[in-house]
Amino acid sequence: MRHVTRFFRELDHVGDLAIEVNARSRAELFAHALVALARLMVAQRGIRTVGRRELECAADDDFTLMHDALSRALNLFLIDGFIWRRVTVEEKGRGLAIILFGEQYDRTRHELLGEIKGVTFHRLFVGQEHGGWRAEIVFDV
Amino acid sequence: MELKHIRDYLWEIPRHGAMRVPGRIYASKSMLDELRNDPALNQVENVACLPGIVGYSLAMPDIHWGYGFPIGGVAAIDAEHGVISPGGVGYDINCGVRLVRTRLRRADIEQDIERLADRLFETIPAGVGSHGAIPSLGITELKKVVRDGVGWAVANGYAQPADVERIEEGGRLASADPEAVSGQAYQRGQKQLGTLGSGNHFLECGEVDQIYRPDEAGALGLELGQVTVLIHTGSRGLGHQTCDDYLKVIDKAADRYGIRLPDRQLAAAPIQSPEGQAYLAAMAAAANFAWCNRQMITHLAEQAFMQALHLGPRELGFALVYDVCHNIAKFEEHLVDGAQTRLCVHRKGATRAFGPGHPALARSLRPLGQPVLIPGDMGRYSFVLIGLEHAMRETFGSTCHGAGRVLSRHQAKKAARGRDLVAELARAGVVIRATSRATIAEEMPMAYKNVADVVEVMEAAAVSRKVARLKPFAVIKG
């Protein structure tokens, strides 16, 4: 395993791209996962936090919630070209209120690191461990 | 896991537990030794539990772990009483390969290869954020694309009518329903018609460097030294979103219909259920988009060749050899227990390989059998095969689809550290253009098995046989 950062690291996966995310709380786990997604796609330096996008997500379980939150954010990038560097997440009932801070992707200013095509349910894990929160996510690339 | 040796290159997982049929794996002894502890073999067992599966749960020699189904898996399921599983098709619906031949010889363009690579890279949008060189289509027009597939390209002057018979299914599944595709999927596909995409997708200019069967190669218009173009891509964001949309629908339907499977990612619904029919209609729409996408890239590649080499279309002689899909579920007739039976054949990382005489092939190809295109890694070679009659009896007319990865993407990036892969490939005679260095590292030749070993297994099993080998000299990647 490599690419250890404070809150996520890349895991071995032959076909696709897998990460482990850690956090102190559930809301922070989702925020970290969303930042990790952006960091895997575009180099963070040079992304200005001059714009924001708001998402509200709700689901019956944390697995589906993680899948849906990441998928919706991914589509913000893939469809609207919005890339973010900072994320806030607040618990809202059974769901989450998410704000992504960033700007429009610009090929001339931003360094593309790789394309992520989808968020999968493959090996998806979201749960509490050792007093903190942990997620494992596999992206289709 | 118990593995029974049936004969050379064929192994069986005997039926046990909830398996409805045995599993069968095409592999050499050394490949099998590497696979023994691989979860992909458990996935072969899991697929064997699907309601309505007939014959065997099959695995090709390029098998590796996928979502629910293994990549390199084939499952034929009774069309009336069986199930459809999006996991048996995959995210990139109708990911596939097409081969174009030219009138050029490698020797004639030796001095122009760098310029050609530049022109192709400029002309064909590749990675994320790239938009089609084809003007962005409105939803109404996009619905025509997913309804008509390559027919849309013919109607709009991007393809010749004769191209259609050189494409699996004629480049269109008639069961497509544009209304079964979500608005979000259309949004993702709107700017992507005629784009290559990233990851393992590519456009590769190659040279026919070996002919194994001159008669068959001649019938396909292939000769030694000839310049060819191989295109590997699929349905882009439209297909991915369609898969994602329907995974949830089918997952819920599986519960509703009481379909219990060993892995949630195998989620399946009865083919005849409203959910199953809706998925099939959307999958067909995404498949049509993919065929049209490969056609549009062919059109753009032809323009790039003409501009870079200052040639007219006649001198260039761009002509489609064939186009195959390797992620799809289709209805086909096969012999099951002596009776002709309508089946839904799921091929995920596997290629249709119909033998000579099959009525699904165009008249011009019928005496020959179906051409099969097997891309390798970007440093070595790719193969043109032909389907054999035996495939119809053994594998529901299916063969392998590619080399199969051996290194994860980040293992590959680690192995690439400190190396100049672009220079290494150049020394091996391959010019590469890519939007990101990370992609080159992830896709380095050593990240893949040797595709020659994979196609040898299928030839030894008499499922498909080699016709020609293509050596790449210019590769465009997202």
Side-chain angles (χ1 to χ4, degrees), chain B residues 166-387:
Chain B
R166 293 286 176 145
I167 304 173
E168 189 170 329
E169 299 294 332
R172 176 182 185 247
L173 288 176
S175 54
D177 178 2
E179 302 310 319
V181 176
S182 72
Q184 210 160 39
Y186 281 123
Q187 280 183 303
R188 285 183 66 174
Q190 205 164 7
K191 296 172 183 169
Q192 292 188 328
L193 193 63
T195 66
L196 203 50
S198 64
N200 60 358
H201 293 159
F202 62 79
L203 181 147
E204 179 181 292
C205 300
E207 169 191 15
V208 179
D209 84 327
Q210 198 147 345
I211 298 273
Y212 301 95
R213 287 179 178 79
D215 289 351
E216 291 168 358
L220 296 176
L222 298 173
E223 54 189 50
L224 271 179
Q226 182 181 29
V227 171
T228 57
V229 180
L230 197 65
I231 297 164
H232 176 212
T233 188
S235 49
R236 309 284 285 114
L238 186 142
H240 276 79
Q241 190 63 47
T242 299
C243 177
D244 205 42
D245 291 340
Y246 279 92
L247 278 172
K248 284 184 193 165
V249 173
I250 300 291
D251 189 47
K252 284 184 182 155
D255 279 346
R256 203 159 40 249
Y257 294 107
I259 297 169
R260 303 269 173 265
L261 291 164
D263 180 354
R264 186 179 170 190
Q265 296 172 100
L266 274 180
I271 289 169
Q272 301 302 336
S273 68
E275 297 89 345
Q277 291 291 304
Y279 169 69
L280 281 162
M283 183 214 70
N288 290 349
F289 181 90
W291 273 311
C292 195
N293 188 37
R294 290 196 286 275
Q295 183 64 50
M296 302 308 280
I297 291 170
T298 306
H299 166 78
L300 294 172
E302 185 180 26
Q303 304 295 312
F305 262 78
M306 290 193 297
Q307 287 164 11
L309 305 176
H310 308 293
L311 296 173
R314 278 169 191 260
E315 294 164 287
L316 177 59
F318 245 48
L320 184 57
V321 175
Y322 207 67
D323 180 310
V324 294
C325 36
H326 50 226
N327 279 4
I328 202 151
K330 289 194 306 188
F331 292 98
E332 297 169 2
E333 299 263 334
H334 290 274
L335 267 184
V336 179
D337 299 329
Q340 204 66 19
T341 309
R342 190 165 179 261
L343 302 172
C344 180
V345 183
H346 295 60
R347 294 189 182 94
K348 181 181 182 184
T351 316
R352 195 184 78 172
F354 283 174
H358 198 286
L361 301 177
R363 269 179 210 287
S364 59
L365 291 170
R366 227 171 272 171
L368 201 64
Q370 184 203 307
V372 176
L373 311 167
I374 307 294
D377 62 76
M378 59 188 174
R380 284 180 273 200
Y381 26 68
S382 299
F383 286 90
V384 180
L385 317 180
I386 210 91

Side-chain angles (χ1 to χ4, degrees), chain B residues 76-239:
Chain B
I77 293 179
D78 185 279
E80 290 306 310
H81 307 294
V83 294
I84 175 78
S85 173
V89 174
Y91 275 90
D92 193 357
I93 295 165
N94 189 4
C95 183
V97 191
R98 67 164 40 195
L99 178 67
V100 176
R101 64 173 196 259
T102 70
R103 290 207 177 105
L104 306 175
R105 303 186 72 77
R106 159 82 189 264
D108 299 334
I109 61 164
E110 199 62 52
Q111 304 307 314
D112 305 312
I113 290 173
E114 294 275 351
R115 191 168 72 242
L116 175 62
D118 286 338
R119 197 73 202 130
L120 285 163
F121 190 61
E122 287 160 15
T123 307
I124 300 164
V128 68
S130 59
H131 296 165
I134 312 301
S136 178
L137 301 178
I139 299 293
T140 307
E141 202 60 23
L142 207 49
K143 285 185 177 180
K144 291 180 190 166
V145 172
V146 304
R147 187 191 65 199
D148 298 339
V150 170
W152 182 89
V154 173
N156 287 275
Y158 296 111
Q160 299 298 318
D163 290 338
V164 169
E165 67 174 36
R166 293 286 176 145
I167 304 173
E168 189 170 329
E169 299 294 332
R172 176 182 185 247
L173 288 176
S175 54
D177 178 2
E179 302 310 319
V181 176
S182 72
Q184 210 160 39
Y186 281 123
Q187 280 183 303
R188 285 183 66 174
Q190 205 164 7
K191 296 172 183 169
Q192 292 188 328
L193 193 63
T195 66
L196 203 50
S198 64
N200 60 358
H201 293 159
F202 62 79
L203 181 147
E204 179 181 292
C205 300
E207 169 191 15
V208 179
D209 84 327
Q210 198 147 345
I211 298 273
Y212 301 95
R213 287 179 178 79
D215 289 351
E216 291 168 358
L220 296 176
L222 298 173
E223 54 189 50
L224 271 179
Q226 182 181 29
V227 171
T228 57
V229 180
L230 197 65
I231 297 164
H232 176 212
T233 188
S235 49
R236 309 284 285 114
L238 186 142

Side-chain angles (χ1 to χ4, degrees), chain A residues 54-70:
Chain A
E54 295 181 15
L55 300 174
E56 288 203 359
C57 297
D60 292 338
D61 57 76
D62 284 346
F63 290 74
T64 310
L65 190 60
M66 180 63 82
H67 171 272
D68 289 359
L70 289 169

Side-chain angles (χ1 to χ4, degrees), chain A residues 10 16 68 115 122 140, chain B residues 67 188 198 240 248 265 410:
Chain A
E10 217 174 299
D16 287 306
D68 289 359
E115 182 176 5
H122 180 60
D140 191 47
Chain B
Y67 310 127
R188 285 183 66 174
S198 64
H240 276 79
K248 284 184 193 165
Q265 296 172 100
H410 91 259

